Amino acid sequence: MVRPLILGLGSSLSLFIASAHADLDLTPKLSHYELDGVEFKQLAFSDGSKVVTYAPPRGWDYSGSATRLSLRPPGKSQAEATIKKVALSQPASFDEGTVKKLVQEAIASVPPGSTDIQLVSQEKNPLMIERKETFLVALSYNFYGAACNRSILFLNRGTEQIQFQLTCRRADFRELQAAFLDSQHSWQNL
């Protein structure tokens, strides 16, 4: 008689613990930290009971909501970076089938009316974020006469996928891509 009660409590406790886990909330809160006497700014996000931090490229403006963070570099009116989360039905890896699907999703993400869409590159693990694997897709296309590039870096995090996307004029891409990718090393507790 005691045994069913313990099993029942164990099941309820497991359900409570699973439902208590909150997903990453990308609503940014500015925070500061000091290192060797120099003050730095970073963005803080809630993820259940822990705090996740990220330092965007210096000087970039930011705004966000629970599912999406937008970043804009100074002086580049036709450039935007976004970090968004997407729910996955189950944890995933970057196997051959998933990679093909992600490349097709990236191609389908270019604005309607785009022409000359080309896959520039695809690379598994161009960088690791918090010891998590990544997959990077880079595209070029023309949008109403403007030569554009887009990159999307995918990171799987349990049943969430984080997508780091940069879209800008082709002439600005190399500089902005380097700054955006470099900033991804600053994630803590992701």
Side-chain angles (χ1 to χ4, degrees):
M1 187 150 172
V2 171
R3 187 174 186 137
L5 178 61
I6 292 172
L7 289 175
L9 285 174
S11 299
S12 297
L13 184 59
S14 297
L15 181 61
F16 175 74
I17 291 170
S19 65
H21 172 71
D23 293 344
L24 177 64
D25 182 338
L26 290 171
T27 305
K29 293 170 187 66
L30 186 61
S31 70
H32 303 271
Y33 70 98
E34 189 175 310
L35 180 64
D36 295 331
V38 178
E39 185 176 76
F40 294 92
K41 296 178 183 179
Q42 63 185 5
L43 301 178
F45 311 95
S46 66
D47 187 17
S49 62
K50 69 180 180 177
V51 175
V52 175
T53 60
Y54 166 65
R58 187 174 296 255
W60 289 32
D61 289 331
Y62 63 90
S63 62
S65 65
T67 59
R68 179 183 167 122
L69 176 71
S70 295
L71 302 160
R72 287 163 304 287
K76 309 285 186 189
S77 63
Q78 295 187 2
E80 181 182 47
T82 59
I83 300 171
K84 68 179 183 176
K85 67 177 190 173
V86 176
L88 298 174
S89 59
Q90 62 186 21
S93 63
F94 295 117
D95 58 24
E96 186 177 335
T98 301
V99 164
K100 284 181 183 178
K101 180 180 167 227
L102 293 175
V103 168
Q104 291 306 311
E105 283 179 22
I107 291 169
S109 78
V110 300
S114 297
T115 59
D116 300 323
I117 302 166
Q118 295 182 7
L119 175 64
V120 174
S121 65
Q122 59 181 333
E123 182 180 0
K124 187 174 178 183
N125 297 323
L127 63 120
M128 300 283 277
I129 300 175
E130 291 279 293
R131 292 178 276 153
K132 293 176 180 69
E133 291 191 328
T134 60
F135 178 66
L136 178 65
V137 177
L139 307 168
S140 67
Y141 59 94
N142 291 315
F143 185 63
Y144 293 102
C148 300
N149 278 63
R150 172 171 288 172
S151 67
I152 305 174
L153 179 74
F154 299 92
L155 177 143
N156 294 331
R157 181 180 179 266
T159 56
E160 285 181 330
Q161 183 178 79
I162 309 298
Q163 298 178 3
F164 307 85
Q165 178 177 291
L166 172 68
T167 304
C168 63
R169 289 179 179 253
R170 193 165 302 147
D172 298 324
F173 185 73
R174 183 172 289 165
E175 170 195 352
L176 297 179
Q177 175 77 339
F180 188 50
L181 285 180
D182 191 48
S183 75
Q184 305 314 321
H185 293 286
S186 71
W187 285 98
Q188 297 291 315
N189 296 322
L190 186 64

